[in-house]
Amino acid sequence: MVRRRRFLSLLLVGIVTAGSGGGACAEGLLGAKAPTAPTASAGAAPTASNLATAVAPDSPTAQVRPFYADGADLASADHERFVDPAKTVLEKNEALKKSGQGDCLDQNMPLDQVPYDKAVLEKTFKSLEAINGDDARVVVAFVEGSEPHRLEWKLKKVEGAWKITDLLSVTGEWALSQYQCE
């Protein structure tokens, strides 16, 4: 877990410092820019947004945005937005629910398992998208009840469309792909 946190920290610092203007836009999301931080690997400059910012319909952020703009949870999400390993975990969870054994996932995972308050979320939500070839990451941050939350969505381009491969909570130290729904 320590190695993962270190990797995520370096990734986040790299995303913030990449691009000519992306770092300045992202400072409010991920903190002040570190003077000796490494830069992100080659790829498009990261773009920052909030819930009021329009996003391209075919962007990685467009796949993530409904969980925040509409309050969608994992149960009501279109599972066609997902590919493995996330899709397998969601399918196993559905099978578990249908068998009457309950739910192994908190359906509020996109909000780091905290209550959804749209007004508060709209005021504090920020996201940062970084694309590197057929892989993308969308980091979201928001404050709920004076507690900051940061999540990372991993996506992959599959047949020309962005699909979610995993969801990780940087603050809660969990990953959707690590759940065993059996």
Side-chain angles (χ1 to χ4, degrees):
M1 194 57 81
V2 171
R3 181 179 284 156
R4 178 180 298 184
R5 267 189 262 146
R6 184 176 297 143
F7 170 76
L8 290 174
S9 296
L10 288 174
L11 174 71
L12 295 174
V13 169
I15 289 172
V16 169
T17 59
S20 59
C25 294
E27 285 181 21
L29 173 63
L30 302 172
K33 187 167 139 181
T36 59
T39 59
S41 59
T47 55
S49 65
N50 60 33
L51 286 177
T53 306
V55 296
D58 60 345
S59 70
T61 300
Q63 294 300 313
V64 171
R65 183 69 63 89
F67 293 100
Y68 302 98
D70 306 330
D73 61 26
L74 290 178
S76 64
D78 176 8
H79 289 187
E80 294 305 312
R81 291 177 182 260
F82 297 86
V83 292
D84 286 334
K87 188 169 187 169
T88 297
V89 173
L90 294 173
E91 288 171 350
K92 286 182 176 181
N93 183 58
E94 288 300 313
L96 192 64
K97 286 191 321 189
K98 287 179 183 174
S99 74
Q101 295 181 40
D103 214 343
C104 81
L105 300 176
D106 182 330
Q107 298 305 321
N108 199 20
M109 291 174 98
L111 287 164
D112 211 11
Q113 304 169 351
V114 297
Y116 177 71
D117 183 334
K118 188 171 183 174
V120 171
L121 191 64
E122 286 175 348
K123 290 179 186 175
T124 64
F125 181 90
K126 293 190 179 4
S127 69
L128 185 66
E129 173 186 290
I131 299 172
N132 188 4
D134 286 344
D135 294 313
R137 295 178 190 259
V138 177
V139 177
V140 299
F142 58 91
V143 176
E144 177 60 49
S146 77
E147 293 293 320
H149 295 272
R150 196 171 300 152
L151 295 108
E152 177 183 343
W153 296 79
K154 293 181 179 182
L155 298 97
K156 177 178 223 124
K157 197 169 250 189
V158 178
E159 298 177 9
W162 289 106
K163 304 285 184 172
I164 299 164
T165 62
D166 207 355
L167 168 60
L168 300 91
S169 171
V170 178
T171 50
E173 298 182 359
W174 55 261
L176 176 61
S177 62
Q178 293 179 342
Y179 278 79
Q180 301 293 318
C181 295
E182 297 178 8

